[in-house]
Amino acid sequence: MAPNSLTERNDEMNVQAREETRSNERFIRPAVNIIETEEGLFVTADLPGATKESIDVNVEKGVLTISAPAAHSVPGNAVYREFELGSYFRQFTIPESLDHSKAKADFANGILTLRIPKAEIAKPRRIEVQVS
């Protein structure tokens, strides 16, 4: 079938070759927001097409890794498609002052939300001044 406005594909849109390894696998770099508060770090990642069961989130040696395969779930042949789904992959170096053992993850409506609290010793605290 000759490419036309209904069938042409944009393979380069938002798809990047994996640079961290020598793998030939292609992945999609999901959009993320990272917010730091006094309580910890909040990370939200846009993972449309992924399922809760397919998402892998881990922290190893100070590197937060988010990965998830995704696929179109509607049966049939695509007549027109403006975006591709594939494997999501993203890594961030995070501070050691976070308590990874208390991290929580939620996934709803294609958005992954991670809450990684600061370790108690890293939280800001007020030092009371004594009168002597």
Side-chain angles (χ1 to χ4, degrees):
M1 178 182 281
N4 60 38
S5 62
L6 290 177
T7 60
E8 71 182 7
R9 299 176 56 194
N10 185 358
D11 288 335
E12 296 179 9
M13 187 173 72
N14 210 20
V15 177
Q16 300 175 348
R18 187 173 178 170
E19 295 178 351
E20 290 84 11
T21 69
R22 294 181 181 158
S23 171
N24 291 327
E25 181 181 1
R26 296 174 57 95
F27 66 91
I28 298 169
R29 186 177 168 176
V32 299
N33 289 332
I34 301 174
I35 308 295
E36 183 176 10
T37 67
E38 288 183 3
E39 298 300 315
L41 210 60
F42 291 85
V43 179
T44 54
D46 189 21
L47 304 173
T51 62
K52 176 184 170 187
E53 295 77 22
S54 68
I55 297 171
D56 184 32
V57 179
N58 65 63
V59 177
E60 184 175 339
K61 297 181 181 177
V63 177
L64 170 66
T65 302
I66 301 169
S67 60
H72 294 281
S73 60
V74 177
N77 295 323
V79 176
Y80 181 74
R81 185 175 283 169
E82 289 189 346
F83 63 93
E84 289 293 321
L85 294 178
S87 295
Y88 295 104
F89 184 83
R90 198 82 192 259
Q91 287 185 319
F92 301 96
T93 301
I94 59 174
E96 293 182 14
S97 60
L98 298 174
D99 188 351
H100 308 145
S101 66
K102 295 183 180 175
K104 294 185 177 178
D106 296 311
F107 185 67
N109 300 322
I111 305 293
L112 173 70
T113 303
L114 300 172
R115 293 173 183 84
I116 308 171
K118 287 184 179 177
E120 289 299 320
I121 195 163
K123 288 184 180 177
R125 62 183 176 109
R126 182 184 172 114
I127 300 172
E128 191 172 325
V129 177
Q130 302 287 326
V131 177
S132 54

